[in-house]
Amino acid sequence: MMKPIPEMDTAELRHIAVHGGIEGAREMDREELIDALVARPGEGAWQEDPKPADVNPNDFFYHGPEQR
């Protein structure tokens, strides 16, 4: 099992960040690496879609071919 991110040493954090594709990871200090690696609710472009979906799937019910 992995150690929690705040308990890892700087070399381990940098290795994870570089291989994870975080830009500028080689120049970051320890605190910046921890901030880049720890996901926080409400942060990060991957956590929310900037535009609403065109269709709400809850508005439609699936009907099999025999029910149409």
Side-chain angles (χ1 to χ4, degrees):
M1 189 169 155
M2 272 182 70
K3 291 190 287 187
I5 288 177
E7 294 177 11
M8 292 181 175
D9 66 357
T10 306
E12 289 176 302
L13 295 172
R14 185 164 288 115
H15 178 75
I16 293 169
V18 168
H19 288 292
I22 296 174
E23 293 182 24
R26 293 186 196 281
E27 295 81 30
M28 290 182 181
D29 65 8
R30 179 179 173 73
E31 292 304 314
E32 290 173 323
L33 288 166
I34 290 173
D35 286 343
L37 291 171
V38 175
R40 292 181 175 84
E43 290 185 9
W46 57 272
Q47 292 182 337
E48 60 183 298
D49 189 4
K51 61 178 179 54
D54 290 339
V55 177
N56 182 353
N58 296 324
D59 292 340
F60 299 91
F61 294 102
Y62 174 77
H63 298 288
E66 66 280 349
Q67 298 173 345
R68 290 183 195 172

